[in-house]
Amino acid sequence: MHTIDHYAYGNALRRVDPAQKGGLTVLAIILCLLLDRPTVGLVTLGWMFALTALWARVPSHVFGRTLLAEGLFLILSVMGVAISVSLNPPEIHRIVWHIGGLWVSTDHEAIRVAYHLFTRALGCAAALNFLILTTPLTDLIELMRRLYVPETLIELMTLIYRTIFVLLESMQRMALAQAVRLGYSSPGRALRSTALLGSQLFLDAYRRSRRMQTALKSRGIEGTLRMLPLEYVYDRRAWWVGATLGVSLVVVGIL
Amino acid sequence: MSRTHRWLIVAIGALALVLLEGRPAYAMHIMEGFLPPLWAAFWFAVAIPFWVIGFRRVNRLMTEKPETRMLLGLVGAFAFVLSALKIPSVTGSSSHPTGTGLGAILFGPAVMSILGTIVLLFQALLLAHGGLTTLGANAVAMAIVGPLVAWGIWYGLKDRISIWVAVFCAAAIANLTTYVVTSLQLALAYPDPTGGFTAAFIKFGTIFAVTQVPLAISEGILTVLIFNALQTNAETELMALDVLKGA
């Protein structure tokens, strides 16, 4: 989490308008889903890797590691699509294993669907990775504000985002303090320590909210919290990138 | 040892690694791009009425009682951080609590539908777990149905049996429910070629059940322990939360 947040704040595209980066991502995801072809997914993956590594200058291993975690999870998920399990021997499937009392089977069609799904989801995930590795959440919240997401939600999200890291640090300190006192030395003890950690974290969150409320009140808060909007750079190249991306995906999808 | 034999062992080892060790922490999130566009849209449509109800409640709370603004912000962050907490599972591995049970008991299902969705959105944007097009489906499982089930069980049982049993049942069953709903969503989108929807549902359900039943029990125990600790340490704070539930 810190890695993604770190690069989101410090990449070459940091100042570019989030609407442009968001637009690129949404375009790629929509085309991936609608064209629904393995090559489109793979081409999107290539595009997004190039954009993240070359344009935004995020180290390629960061992009790779994020994608690897997603890829491993995807393999597990698509296996459920590729393999059928039944109590009776299947009639239509060609490749069959008989394990215990179960018939595990698959065929070329099921594997094709799974491969389809794998590439499509990987392409979409790569597009999302491009967005989250180049755009901090504060910018995305600002983008949502422009997209007419209700002010209440915007404010709630801003508050949550800004306090996550405070609470996380507090949790890590508590967990460390417990660990050095052998609080996690056995599973039973670990469960007890985790529960204590959870409840203390809740108390911490609650007390912080009271303190913040008091601090804001003493400074005369009236209704909403206001943040200064950032100044964004409007990058003309993003249009060209978007157009080429769109055309290349459509061409690959139709051919 | 023959060549194929060796490859078989390597393949099985790699598979075991993926299944057991590399199992991602947020295994129940449906990934970006995994659902076909129609199903993604369908689950958004299902979620919208609940979001409207939750949003109205949150909006009213924030205008009527300004101090709930900070409270909601902090408990939202708490929910996010809690989901990053590792819990030791009965099987020896460790995973993360869904937090739906605790959230529903503490904040009520209406507020949970909004807070839970924001947590899911943040998980997609900060941790690359889940996705934007699948946010509707994930929200239905984890921010809407799970909390509703937990709330229903807790509300129905808390005055009849020991409160710990009620908390355990609410948290454990809510955890399982999120998985059942996710399996249902996957089975509807990808029915099995041999057995159709039912076979697919059982199949996806089994994939999750292997890891999930022990985790549900762990989450149940953990929630009871947290609730216990909260009752001894934070009674006044818990009373203040009744504001969120409208009790």
Side-chain angles (χ1 to χ4, degrees), chain A residues 93-126:
Chain A
H93 278 220
R94 274 168 293 187
I95 310 161
V96 178
W97 298 278
H98 193 192
I99 303 169
L102 290 175
W103 294 86
V104 179
S105 62
T106 183
D107 68 352
H108 290 296
E109 178 57 24
I111 290 172
R112 198 191 58 80
V113 171
Y115 174 62
H116 228 80
L117 198 55
F118 181 74
T119 48
R120 187 181 78 194
L122 211 60
C124 288

Short mmCIF file of all heavy atoms in Angstrom, two decimals, chain A residues 93-126:
data_model
loop_
_atom_site.label_atom_id
_atom_site.label_comp_id
_atom_site.label_asym_id
_atom_site.label_seq_id
_atom_site.Cartn_x
_atom_site.Cartn_y
_atom_site.Cartn_z
N HIS A 93 -17.26 -33.81 -22.09
CA HIS A 93 -15.86 -33.40 -21.95
C HIS A 93 -14.90 -34.47 -22.44
O HIS A 93 -15.17 -35.65 -22.35
CB HIS A 93 -15.58 -33.07 -20.49
CG HIS A 93 -16.01 -31.69 -20.15
ND1 HIS A 93 -15.29 -30.85 -19.36
CD2 HIS A 93 -17.10 -31.00 -20.53
CE1 HIS A 93 -15.92 -29.71 -19.26
NE2 HIS A 93 -17.02 -29.77 -19.95
N ARG A 94 -13.77 -34.03 -22.93
CA ARG A 94 -12.82 -34.98 -23.49
C ARG A 94 -11.69 -35.34 -22.55
O ARG A 94 -11.24 -36.46 -22.50
CB ARG A 94 -12.25 -34.44 -24.80
CG ARG A 94 -13.13 -34.77 -25.97
CD ARG A 94 -12.72 -34.00 -27.17
NE ARG A 94 -12.96 -32.58 -26.96
CZ ARG A 94 -12.82 -31.68 -27.92
NH1 ARG A 94 -12.41 -32.03 -29.11
NH2 ARG A 94 -13.07 -30.41 -27.70
N ILE A 95 -11.23 -34.33 -21.78
CA ILE A 95 -10.10 -34.60 -20.89
C ILE A 95 -10.66 -34.82 -19.49
O ILE A 95 -11.24 -33.91 -18.90
CB ILE A 95 -9.12 -33.42 -20.90
CG1 ILE A 95 -8.79 -33.05 -22.34
CG2 ILE A 95 -7.86 -33.76 -20.11
CD1 ILE A 95 -8.23 -31.66 -22.51
N VAL A 96 -10.51 -36.04 -18.97
CA VAL A 96 -11.17 -36.39 -17.72
C VAL A 96 -10.18 -37.05 -16.77
O VAL A 96 -9.37 -37.86 -17.17
CB VAL A 96 -12.35 -37.35 -17.98
CG1 VAL A 96 -13.01 -37.76 -16.67
CG2 VAL A 96 -13.37 -36.71 -18.91
N TRP A 97 -10.24 -36.65 -15.50
CA TRP A 97 -9.50 -37.38 -14.48
C TRP A 97 -10.51 -37.91 -13.48
O TRP A 97 -11.46 -37.22 -13.12
CB TRP A 97 -8.52 -36.48 -13.74
CG TRP A 97 -7.46 -35.88 -14.60
CD1 TRP A 97 -6.31 -36.46 -15.01
CD2 TRP A 97 -7.47 -34.56 -15.15
NE1 TRP A 97 -5.59 -35.59 -15.78
CE2 TRP A 97 -6.28 -34.42 -15.89
CE3 TRP A 97 -8.36 -33.48 -15.09
CZ2 TRP A 97 -5.95 -33.25 -16.56
CZ3 TRP A 97 -8.05 -32.33 -15.75
CH2 TRP A 97 -6.85 -32.22 -16.49
N HIS A 98 -10.29 -39.11 -13.00
CA HIS A 98 -11.18 -39.67 -11.99
C HIS A 98 -10.44 -39.67 -10.66
O HIS A 98 -9.55 -40.49 -10.45
CB HIS A 98 -11.61 -41.09 -12.40
CG HIS A 98 -12.74 -41.60 -11.58
ND1 HIS A 98 -13.13 -42.91 -11.58
CD2 HIS A 98 -13.58 -40.98 -10.74
CE1 HIS A 98 -14.16 -43.06 -10.76
NE2 HIS A 98 -14.44 -41.90 -10.25
N ILE A 99 -10.78 -38.75 -9.79
CA ILE A 99 -10.07 -38.63 -8.51
C ILE A 99 -11.04 -38.97 -7.39
O ILE A 99 -12.04 -38.27 -7.20
CB ILE A 99 -9.51 -37.21 -8.32
CG1 ILE A 99 -8.59 -36.85 -9.49
CG2 ILE A 99 -8.76 -37.10 -6.99
CD1 ILE A 99 -8.20 -35.40 -9.55
N GLY A 100 -10.76 -40.02 -6.66
CA GLY A 100 -11.67 -40.45 -5.61
C GLY A 100 -13.02 -40.77 -6.22
O GLY A 100 -13.11 -41.53 -7.18
N GLY A 101 -14.08 -40.16 -5.70
CA GLY A 101 -15.40 -40.40 -6.29
C GLY A 101 -15.80 -39.30 -7.26
O GLY A 101 -16.92 -39.27 -7.74
N LEU A 102 -14.87 -38.39 -7.52
CA LEU A 102 -15.22 -37.23 -8.33
C LEU A 102 -14.65 -37.32 -9.74
O LEU A 102 -13.59 -37.90 -9.96
CB LEU A 102 -14.68 -35.95 -7.67
CG LEU A 102 -15.36 -35.52 -6.37
CD1 LEU A 102 -14.63 -34.33 -5.81
CD2 LEU A 102 -16.82 -35.19 -6.62
N TRP A 103 -15.37 -36.75 -10.67
CA TRP A 103 -14.88 -36.67 -12.05
C TRP A 103 -14.47 -35.23 -12.30
O TRP A 103 -15.29 -34.33 -12.30
CB TRP A 103 -15.97 -37.09 -13.02
CG TRP A 103 -16.32 -38.54 -12.88
CD1 TRP A 103 -17.23 -39.06 -12.02
CD2 TRP A 103 -15.76 -39.62 -13.61
NE1 TRP A 103 -17.26 -40.43 -12.16
CE2 TRP A 103 -16.38 -40.80 -13.12
CE3 TRP A 103 -14.80 -39.72 -14.62
CZ2 TRP A 103 -16.06 -42.06 -13.62
CZ3 TRP A 103 -14.49 -40.97 -15.12
CH2 TRP A 103 -15.11 -42.13 -14.61
N VAL A 104 -13.18 -35.04 -12.49
CA VAL A 104 -12.68 -33.70 -12.79
C VAL A 104 -12.43 -33.66 -14.29
O VAL A 104 -11.74 -34.53 -14.83
CB VAL A 104 -11.37 -33.44 -12.03
CG1 VAL A 104 -10.84 -32.06 -12.37
CG2 VAL A 104 -11.59 -33.57 -10.55
N SER A 105 -13.02 -32.69 -14.94
CA SER A 105 -12.89 -32.69 -16.40
C SER A 105 -12.70 -31.29 -16.94
O SER A 105 -13.00 -30.28 -16.28
CB SER A 105 -14.13 -33.31 -17.03
OG SER A 105 -15.25 -32.53 -16.69
N THR A 106 -12.18 -31.25 -18.13
CA THR A 106 -12.04 -29.97 -18.83
C THR A 106 -12.06 -30.26 -20.32
O THR A 106 -11.98 -31.43 -20.74
CB THR A 106 -10.74 -29.27 -18.41
OG1 THR A 106 -10.69 -27.99 -19.06
CG2 THR A 106 -9.51 -30.06 -18.83
N ASP A 107 -12.18 -29.24 -21.12
CA ASP A 107 -12.04 -29.43 -22.56
C ASP A 107 -11.48 -28.15 -23.17
O ASP A 107 -11.26 -27.17 -22.47
CB ASP A 107 -13.35 -29.86 -23.23
CG ASP A 107 -14.39 -28.75 -23.18
OD1 ASP A 107 -14.12 -27.73 -22.51
OD2 ASP A 107 -15.44 -28.90 -23.80
N HIS A 108 -11.27 -28.19 -24.48
CA HIS A 108 -10.64 -27.04 -25.12
C HIS A 108 -11.48 -25.78 -24.98
O HIS A 108 -10.94 -24.70 -24.79
CB HIS A 108 -10.37 -27.36 -26.59
CG HIS A 108 -9.31 -28.38 -26.75
ND1 HIS A 108 -8.01 -28.15 -26.36
CD2 HIS A 108 -9.33 -29.65 -27.20
CE1 HIS A 108 -7.29 -29.23 -26.58
NE2 HIS A 108 -8.08 -30.17 -27.09
N GLU A 109 -12.79 -25.96 -25.04
CA GLU A 109 -13.68 -24.80 -24.96
C GLU A 109 -13.55 -24.13 -23.59
O GLU A 109 -13.40 -22.91 -23.50
CB GLU A 109 -15.12 -25.28 -25.22
CG GLU A 109 -16.19 -24.21 -25.13
CD GLU A 109 -15.96 -23.03 -26.06
OE1 GLU A 109 -15.25 -23.20 -27.08
OE2 GLU A 109 -16.45 -21.93 -25.75
N ALA A 110 -13.56 -24.95 -22.53
CA ALA A 110 -13.46 -24.39 -21.18
C ALA A 110 -12.12 -23.71 -20.98
O ALA A 110 -12.04 -22.63 -20.39
CB ALA A 110 -13.65 -25.49 -20.14
N ILE A 111 -11.06 -24.31 -21.51
CA ILE A 111 -9.74 -23.71 -21.37
C ILE A 111 -9.67 -22.41 -22.16
O ILE A 111 -9.11 -21.41 -21.70
CB ILE A 111 -8.65 -24.71 -21.83
CG1 ILE A 111 -8.56 -25.86 -20.82
CG2 ILE A 111 -7.29 -24.02 -21.96
CD1 ILE A 111 -7.67 -26.98 -21.24
N ARG A 112 -10.34 -22.41 -23.32
CA ARG A 112 -10.37 -21.20 -24.13
C ARG A 112 -11.07 -20.06 -23.37
O ARG A 112 -10.58 -18.93 -23.32
CB ARG A 112 -11.10 -21.47 -25.46
CG ARG A 112 -10.82 -20.45 -26.55
CD ARG A 112 -11.77 -20.63 -27.71
NE ARG A 112 -13.17 -20.52 -27.30
CZ ARG A 112 -13.79 -19.35 -27.11
NH1 ARG A 112 -13.13 -18.22 -27.28
NH2 ARG A 112 -15.05 -19.31 -26.72
N VAL A 113 -12.21 -20.39 -22.75
CA VAL A 113 -12.94 -19.37 -21.97
C VAL A 113 -12.06 -18.85 -20.84
O VAL A 113 -11.98 -17.64 -20.59
CB VAL A 113 -14.26 -19.96 -21.41
CG1 VAL A 113 -14.90 -18.99 -20.43
CG2 VAL A 113 -15.22 -20.27 -22.55
N ALA A 114 -11.38 -19.78 -20.15
CA ALA A 114 -10.54 -19.38 -19.03
C ALA A 114 -9.39 -18.48 -19.49
O ALA A 114 -9.08 -17.47 -18.85
CB ALA A 114 -9.99 -20.63 -18.33
N TYR A 115 -8.81 -18.83 -20.64
CA TYR A 115 -7.71 -18.03 -21.17
C TYR A 115 -8.19 -16.64 -21.55
O TYR A 115 -7.55 -15.61 -21.26
CB TYR A 115 -7.13 -18.75 -22.41
CG TYR A 115 -6.08 -17.98 -23.16
CD1 TYR A 115 -4.89 -17.63 -22.55
CD2 TYR A 115 -6.30 -17.59 -24.47
CE1 TYR A 115 -3.94 -16.90 -23.23
CE2 TYR A 115 -5.36 -16.86 -25.17
CZ TYR A 115 -4.17 -16.52 -24.54
OH TYR A 115 -3.23 -15.80 -25.22
N HIS A 116 -9.37 -16.59 -22.16
CA HIS A 116 -10.05 -15.37 -22.52
C HIS A 116 -10.19 -14.45 -21.32
O HIS A 116 -9.84 -13.29 -21.32
CB HIS A 116 -11.47 -15.78 -22.96
CG HIS A 116 -11.89 -15.16 -24.22
ND1 HIS A 116 -11.49 -15.63 -25.44
CD2 HIS A 116 -12.69 -14.10 -24.46
CE1 HIS A 116 -12.04 -14.90 -26.38
NE2 HIS A 116 -12.76 -13.95 -25.81
N LEU A 117 -10.72 -15.07 -20.26
CA LEU A 117 -11.02 -14.36 -19.03
C LEU A 117 -9.73 -13.86 -18.38
O LEU A 117 -9.65 -12.73 -17.91
CB LEU A 117 -11.72 -15.35 -18.11
CG LEU A 117 -12.50 -14.79 -16.96
CD1 LEU A 117 -13.51 -13.81 -17.49
CD2 LEU A 117 -13.20 -15.93 -16.25
N PHE A 118 -8.74 -14.72 -18.40
CA PHE A 118 -7.45 -14.39 -17.78
C PHE A 118 -6.84 -13.16 -18.44
O PHE A 118 -6.45 -12.20 -17.78
CB PHE A 118 -6.51 -15.60 -17.90
CG PHE A 118 -5.17 -15.37 -17.28
CD1 PHE A 118 -5.02 -15.38 -15.90
CD2 PHE A 118 -4.06 -15.16 -18.08
CE1 PHE A 118 -3.78 -15.18 -15.32
CE2 PHE A 118 -2.81 -14.95 -17.50
CZ PHE A 118 -2.68 -14.96 -16.12
N THR A 119 -6.80 -13.17 -19.78
CA THR A 119 -6.17 -12.04 -20.49
C THR A 119 -7.00 -10.78 -20.33
O THR A 119 -6.45 -9.70 -20.15
CB THR A 119 -6.01 -12.37 -21.98
OG1 THR A 119 -7.25 -12.90 -22.46
CG2 THR A 119 -4.92 -13.39 -22.21
N ARG A 120 -8.33 -10.94 -20.38
CA ARG A 120 -9.17 -9.75 -20.27
C ARG A 120 -8.99 -9.10 -18.90
O ARG A 120 -8.77 -7.89 -18.79
CB ARG A 120 -10.65 -10.14 -20.46
CG ARG A 120 -11.56 -8.96 -20.52
CD ARG A 120 -13.00 -9.38 -20.67
NE ARG A 120 -13.55 -9.84 -19.41
CZ ARG A 120 -14.69 -10.51 -19.31
NH1 ARG A 120 -15.36 -10.85 -20.38
NH2 ARG A 120 -15.14 -10.87 -18.13
N ALA A 121 -9.08 -9.92 -17.84
CA ALA A 121 -8.97 -9.37 -16.48
C ALA A 121 -7.57 -8.80 -16.25
O ALA A 121 -7.42 -7.77 -15.59
CB ALA A 121 -9.29 -10.44 -15.45
N LEU A 122 -6.56 -9.45 -16.81
CA LEU A 122 -5.20 -8.96 -16.62
C LEU A 122 -5.01 -7.61 -17.32
O LEU A 122 -4.38 -6.70 -16.77
CB LEU A 122 -4.20 -9.98 -17.16
CG LEU A 122 -2.85 -10.02 -16.45
CD1 LEU A 122 -3.01 -10.35 -14.99
CD2 LEU A 122 -1.93 -11.02 -17.12
N GLY A 123 -5.59 -7.48 -18.51
CA GLY A 123 -5.53 -6.20 -19.22
C GLY A 123 -6.21 -5.10 -18.43
O GLY A 123 -5.66 -4.00 -18.25
N CYS A 124 -7.41 -5.41 -17.92
CA CYS A 124 -8.15 -4.41 -17.13
C CYS A 124 -7.38 -4.05 -15.86
O CYS A 124 -7.29 -2.88 -15.48
CB CYS A 124 -9.52 -4.95 -16.74
SG CYS A 124 -10.67 -5.05 -18.10
N ALA A 125 -6.82 -5.07 -15.21
CA ALA A 125 -6.07 -4.82 -13.97
C ALA A 125 -4.85 -3.95 -14.26
O ALA A 125 -4.53 -3.05 -13.49
CB ALA A 125 -5.64 -6.14 -13.35
N ALA A 126 -4.20 -4.20 -15.42
CA ALA A 126 -3.04 -3.39 -15.78
C ALA A 126 -3.45 -1.94 -15.97
O ALA A 126 -2.75 -1.01 -15.56
CB ALA A 126 -2.39 -3.94 -17.04
#
